[in-house]
Amino acid sequence: MNSSRYLLDTNAKVALITRIIQIRQHYRVPLPDAIIVSTAVQMNAKLITAD
């Protein structure tokens, strides 16, 4: 498996961090939840939750 496809370039990291901050401020969710949601959005993945 090529693990380099999961690495983010600097611009993608900045975009991810910015999105994490925006989600935390707008929805007032805990940091781990904001990270999970932001990562799913960034990777264009479906997010399934039991909550």
Side-chain angles (χ1 to χ4, degrees):
M1 174 162 51
N2 186 0
S3 63
S4 65
R5 75 180 192 157
Y6 297 108
L7 299 178
L8 300 175
D9 64 12
T10 303
N11 291 335
K13 289 177 186 177
V14 170
L16 180 62
I17 292 168
T18 301
R19 184 175 283 122
I20 291 167
I21 293 168
Q22 290 171 342
I23 288 173
R24 286 210 67 208
Q25 290 175 340
H26 188 267
Y27 296 103
R28 304 266 186 211
V29 296
L31 180 59
D33 292 343
I35 292 170
I36 292 167
V37 169
S38 298
T39 303
V41 170
Q42 180 101 5
M43 303 303 276
N44 204 20
K46 292 181 182 178
L47 179 62
I48 301 172
T49 180
D51 293 349

